């Protein structure tokens, strides 16, 4: 009951931005949420006037989009907070993070708590059976990046997803143990906590263990995700026992108990990374892999490592963007596209205008062609990063954009196509000190390979599908990539995950990121453009329909409600093939540079999500 109240807070009818501004810093409401063994109180405050561009006088900043979209966006209002904020796409995980912050933990403590809580409350996507990336800005000014992406098993080979004729075998990289990369999440979270957290592993894992052991009550959005894969989950005995629900659809209000996962998490809380990588958990995964034709070995687990790197960095209109370097393509592709776009007056053209959509699409077409050609795991392939992020390279690509015509992708020099999965999860955290953490982690497709090893209680990833099975052939997510991302033992597959922290004058301004395969890059980039160029508040920037272009297929994807019929006709006349599709999901936090007030926004597309702070 109380859980539902928390959800309503996020989606309650919003007041127009002017009214929001008038409310100033006053605390507006408080929410109290009861979950299995977890009580959290979170107060949210109204936020002050944003220091971003005002709406053009007398006109809506949404003048170019259809009337229904305009009306909804004009009302969208974020959750406000004065000190700290957590935004995730599962409300109990958000509240676990807020609870840690209120106990005095910092943003890293909270991020680790949320990572484990999502592994329980969002079994499709939150995980300990996958991997990811963490971008961190510390209040003392240091900028850090943690790579805990999965690695290919040592027995992996470039042709492992091809048949004798050299054709890609459908499903091998997504639905079998051959699709499993060595998971990195447990080592990643532990490494971040040990280095920059302040609390013990046991303490930050407590909410997750309780949620798994005692169960939690499903919200509608949770039930929807489970029901979307119920048939597949029921094909595998271990998955069926926990998630199959006897084949009956789950509904909001049902309780999901994960006793095996609770035991696994207890082992990790007691034994740390060794329990996972050197103990009974690794043993159980290898045993299941052996039994089902996989190639994972104990050595894969024992030799797995995570690495600290420097985030990719670029400047955009006076803001510093910090994001994911290779083996993610996210930060590099986004910075390249932003570099191409910066000279254009996007704010004057307007959100959703034909001109904006055209130049955005053309910048992305060129940035993705670059991505799919050059990017891979830098431990295995040379990536000319300096050149790709140089002003001269952006200028070269910009000069090929035609003002009134789409460029066919076949005319963009490069040879390959690219790929990725869809069902990642992103969360953002800011603490009262000004530490900011953006985490995107994944098991790739919803529920990964849909299989659980023995009694471990968690789904294993199908991240091997992010490799190029065959240059020129699209992967499960429709990306067509090249040799730079071919499978090699111990290599990390190319990702699109883009956990991003944007700084203004060295202080956090925006923490953002998204799930959604290649669309991650476009969606995250649009969260930046929406606030910087179009002056939207955080909720508007999250709710606003997006656009996406990934070079191949040569299709311009547009979010429902973005384009008017007239704009669609104009873009088609310019040569675009349009496809309407719901794109990306954002879980983001904006900081007002003047007052420090926080605006949090969870994406309504993941309706179980929540922004909360205090
Ligand atoms: N598996 C999705 C990504 O890493 O981009």
């Amino acid at each position: 009951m109380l859980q539902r109240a928390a959800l309503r807070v996020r989606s309650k009818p919003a007041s127009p931005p002017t009214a929001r501004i008038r409310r100033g810093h006053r605390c507006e409401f408080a929410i109290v949420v009861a979950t299995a063994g977890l009580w959290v109180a979170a107060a949210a405050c109204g936020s002050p006037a944003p220091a971003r561009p005002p709406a053009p006088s007398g006109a809506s900043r949404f003048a170019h989009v259809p009337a229904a979209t305009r009306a909804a966006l004009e009302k969208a209002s974020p959750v406000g907070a004065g000190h700290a904020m957590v935004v995730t796409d599962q409300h109990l995980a958000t509240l676990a993070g807020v609870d840690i912050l209120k106990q005095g933990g910092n943003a890293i403590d909270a991020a680790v708590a949320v990572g484990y809580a999502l592994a329980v409350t969002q079994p499709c996507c939150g995980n300990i059976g996958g991997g990811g990336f963490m971008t961190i800005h510390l209040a003392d000014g240091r900028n850090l990046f943690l790579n805990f992406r999965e690695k290919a098993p040592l027995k992996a080979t470039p042709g492992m997803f091809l048949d004798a004729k050299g054709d890609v075998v459908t499903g091998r990289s997504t639905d079998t143990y051959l699709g499993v990369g060595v998971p990195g999440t447990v080592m990643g979270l532990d490494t971040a906590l040990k280095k920059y957290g302040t609390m013990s592993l046991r303490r930050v894992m407590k909410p997750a263990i309780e949620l798994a052991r005692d169960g939690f009550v499903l919200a509608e959005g949770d039930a929807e995700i489970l029901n979307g894969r119920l048939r597949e989950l029921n094909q595998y005995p271990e998955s069926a026992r926990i998630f199959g629900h006897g084949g009956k659809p789950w509904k909001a209000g049902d309780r999901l108990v994960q006793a095996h996962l609770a035991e696994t998490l207890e082992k990790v809380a007691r034994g740390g990374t060794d329990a996972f990588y050197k103990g009974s958990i690794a043993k159980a995964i290898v045993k299941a892999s052996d039994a089902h034709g996989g190639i994972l070995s104990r050595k894969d687990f024992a030799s797995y490592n995570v690495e600290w790197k420097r985030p990719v960095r670029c400047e955009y209109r006076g803001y510093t963007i910090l994001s994911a370097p290779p083996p993610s393509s996210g930060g590099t592709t986004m910075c390249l596209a932003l570099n191409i776009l910066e000279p254009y007056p996007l704010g004057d053209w307007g959100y959703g205008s034909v001109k904006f959509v055209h130049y955005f699409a053309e910048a992305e077409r060129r940035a993705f062609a670059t991505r799919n050609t050059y990017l891979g795991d830098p431990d295995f392939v040379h990536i000319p990063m300096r050149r790709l992020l140089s002003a001269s390279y952006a200028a070269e690509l910009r000069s090929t954009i035609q003002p009134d015509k789409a460029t066919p992708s076949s005319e963009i020099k490069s040879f390959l196509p690219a790929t990725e999965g869809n069902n990642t999860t992103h969360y953002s955290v800011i603490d009262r000190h000004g530490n900011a953490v953006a985490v995107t982690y994944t098991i790739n497709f919803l529920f990964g390979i849909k299989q659980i090893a023995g009694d471990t209680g968690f789904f294993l990833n199908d991240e091997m599908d992010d490799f190029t099975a065959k240059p020129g052939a699209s992967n499960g997510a429709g990306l067509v990539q090249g040799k730079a991302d071919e499978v090699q033992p111990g290599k990390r597959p190319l990702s699109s995950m883009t956990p991003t922290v944007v700084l203004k004058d060295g202080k956090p301004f925006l923490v953002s990121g998204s799930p959604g395969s290649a669309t991650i890059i476009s969606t995250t980039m649009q969260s930046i453009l929406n606030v910087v160029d179009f002056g939207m508040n955080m909720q508007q920037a999250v709710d606003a329909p997006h656009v996406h272009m990934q070079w191949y297929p040569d299709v311009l994807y547009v979010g429902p409600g973005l384009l008017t019929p007239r704009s669609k006709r104009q873009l088609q006349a310019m040569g675009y093939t349009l496809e309407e599709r719901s794109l990306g999901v954002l879980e983001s936090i904006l900081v007002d540079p003047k007052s420090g007030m926080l605006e949090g926004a969870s994406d309504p597309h993941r309706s179980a999500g929540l922004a909360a702070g205090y």
Side-chain angles (χ1 to χ4, degrees):
M1 229 34 207
L2 287 165
Q3 290 177 22
R4 305 302 306 157
L7 290 175
R8 272 203 306 277
V9 168
R10 203 237 8 231
S11 56
K12 77 188 170 75
S15 41
T18 46
R20 209 171 49 74
I21 289 163
R22 275 199 304 274
R23 282 202 302 271
H25 296 199
R26 188 163 52 84
C27 279
E28 196 196 359
F29 51 82
I31 53 177
V32 179
V33 174
T35 76
L38 176 70
W39 282 86
V40 177
C45 304
S47 54
R52 281 152 278 130
S57 61
S60 164
R61 69 175 85 248
F62 304 110
H64 297 278
V65 300
T69 308
R70 180 157 66 240
L73 289 177
E74 277 171 355
K75 280 193 224 141
S77 177
V79 168
H83 305 285
M85 177 80 80
V86 179
V87 188
T88 84
D89 46 24
Q90 213 288 340
H91 58 290
L92 299 174
T94 295
L95 294 169
V98 174
D99 197 27
I100 290 291
L101 292 173
K102 294 185 97 180
Q103 288 173 35
N106 68 13
I108 288 88
D109 297 317
V112 175
V114 169
Y116 279 112
L118 280 171
V120 178
T121 60
Q122 209 178 39
C124 66
C125 314
N127 67 81
I128 57 172
F133 305 113
M134 186 181 289
T135 304
I136 304 174
H137 168 80
L138 293 177
D140 65 11
R142 278 176 293 167
N143 299 315
L144 312 158
F145 181 83
L146 183 61
N147 170 15
F148 55 98
R149 179 76 161 162
E150 301 93 325
K151 282 186 166 188
L154 296 167
K155 289 185 204 137
T157 59
M160 65 188 278
F161 299 114
L162 305 180
D163 64 15
K165 287 198 270 168
D167 294 328
V168 178
V169 183
T170 308
R172 186 180 282 177
S173 61
T174 53
D175 299 333
T176 78
Y177 270 83
L178 288 174
V180 181
V182 186
T185 297
V186 168
M187 194 179 289
L189 295 180
D190 194 51
T191 302
L193 187 73
K194 281 210 177 85
K195 186 89 178 146
Y196 296 106
T198 65
M199 290 179 161
S200 67
L201 186 59
R202 179 161 272 287
R203 186 158 175 196
V204 296
M205 288 186 73
K206 188 167 175 269
I209 293 170
E210 288 174 356
L211 286 162
R213 190 192 55 216
D214 304 339
F216 69 97
V217 175
L218 299 179
E220 206 167 304
D222 301 321
E224 267 164 25
I225 295 177
L226 286 166
N227 291 339
R229 290 289 180 281
L230 205 54
R231 194 181 54 76
E232 288 94 324
L233 296 178
N234 269 303
Q235 279 169 9
Y236 305 105
E238 289 85 3
S239 313
R241 257 199 299 280
I242 305 165
F243 300 99
H245 208 223
K248 281 197 326 277
W250 292 92
K251 52 186 183 342
D254 287 342
R255 180 173 287 271
L256 177 62
V257 177
Q258 298 171 78
H260 285 159
L261 179 58
E263 277 166 34
T264 294
L265 293 174
E266 280 280 7
K267 282 182 193 163
V268 173
R270 275 196 307 269
T273 50
D274 278 359
F276 189 92
Y277 292 91
K278 297 187 177 152
S280 60
I281 303 168
K283 203 165 154 193
I285 296 171
V286 172
K287 188 172 164 207
S289 168
D290 286 347
H292 294 99
I295 53 172
L296 288 161
S297 67
R298 295 293 296 275
K299 201 166 164 205
D300 286 320
F301 284 84
S303 61
Y304 180 80
N305 70 313
V306 300
E307 51 180 9
W308 289 101
K309 296 176 78 102
R310 266 212 285 255
V312 159
R313 183 186 173 120
C314 59
E315 303 295 321
Y316 180 73
R317 301 198 199 287
Y319 294 84
T320 302
I321 317 289
L322 305 169
S323 194
S328 180
S329 63
T332 313
T333 311
M334 180 169 74
C335 279
L336 174 54
L338 288 171
N339 288 347
I340 297 172
L341 286 173
E342 193 173 19
Y344 299 117
L346 307 183
D348 293 345
W349 294 347
Y351 165 72
S353 64
V354 166
K355 214 159 173 187
F356 165 67
V357 172
H358 169 56
Y359 278 85
F360 183 87
E362 293 306 315
E364 283 220 308
R365 193 194 302 274
R366 287 153 178 80
F368 270 87
T370 301
R371 171 203 187 276
N372 295 355
T373 306
Y374 291 106
L375 301 190
D377 183 345
D379 289 348
F380 288 76
V381 288
H382 170 70
I383 304 173
M385 285 296 280
R386 207 186 269 273
R387 163 104 181 101
L388 299 186
L389 293 178
S390 67
S392 59
Y393 185 60
E396 215 174 279
L397 297 183
R398 193 185 306 119
S399 70
T400 65
I401 299 179
Q402 303 169 70
D404 47 6
K405 203 164 150 302
T407 310
S409 287
S410 56
E411 286 178 18
I412 303 289
K413 246 201 275 149
S414 211
F415 55 108
L416 316 158
T419 208
E420 230 101 329
N422 266 321
N423 294 294
T424 303
T425 182
H426 174 84
Y427 58 97
S428 301
V429 183
I430 291 191
D431 67 20
R432 67 185 192 285
H433 310 290
N435 298 305
V437 180
V439 181
T440 315
Y441 73 151
T442 185
I443 46 175
N444 198 23
F445 285 104
L446 278 176
F447 304 100
I449 60 164
K450 276 81 69 186
Q451 295 171 66
I452 291 172
D455 287 345
T456 57
F458 62 90
F459 290 104
L460 289 161
N461 69 82
D462 57 353
E463 220 68 66
M464 295 292 284
D465 190 64
D466 276 352
F467 279 118
T468 305
K470 177 180 174 175
S474 64
N475 73 351
L479 278 163
V480 187
Q481 301 175 146
K483 202 162 163 58
D485 190 35
E486 79 174 358
V487 185
Q488 287 180 56
K491 189 178 179 184
R492 303 186 204 251
L494 184 63
S495 171
S496 292
M497 291 188 281
T498 314
T500 297
V501 178
V502 178
L503 306 178
K504 178 74 182 156
D505 302 326
K507 297 266 187 298
F509 169 71
L510 175 69
V511 187
S512 193
S514 170
S517 163
T519 70
I520 291 173
I521 299 169
S522 315
T523 307
T524 307
M525 177 156 66
Q526 281 165 94
S527 69
I528 298 171
L529 300 182
N530 285 351
V531 294
V532 169
D533 290 85
F534 302 127
M536 296 185 200
N537 70 40
M538 195 71 264
Q539 193 66 56
Q540 290 169 332
V542 164
D543 294 359
H546 305 122
V547 51
H548 170 69
M549 150 61 73
Q550 61 182 47
W551 185 32
Y552 284 109
D554 190 346
V555 171
L556 177 58
Y557 299 99
V558 289
L562 175 68
L563 298 177
T564 61
R566 185 158 178 260
S567 300
K568 281 184 197 163
R569 285 195 298 276
Q570 272 178 272
L571 286 161
Q572 280 160 340
M574 290 166 78
Y576 286 103
T577 301
L578 300 180
E579 194 178 308
E580 208 163 72
R581 192 202 264 191
S582 188
L583 294 165
V585 170
L586 287 160
E587 308 296 339
S588 312
I589 304 171
L590 189 64
V591 188
D592 185 282
K594 288 208 180 96
S595 66
M597 290 294 291
L598 307 173
E599 294 182 7
S602 171
D603 199 307
H605 290 101
R606 290 232 171 142
S607 68
L610 180 71
Y614 70 93

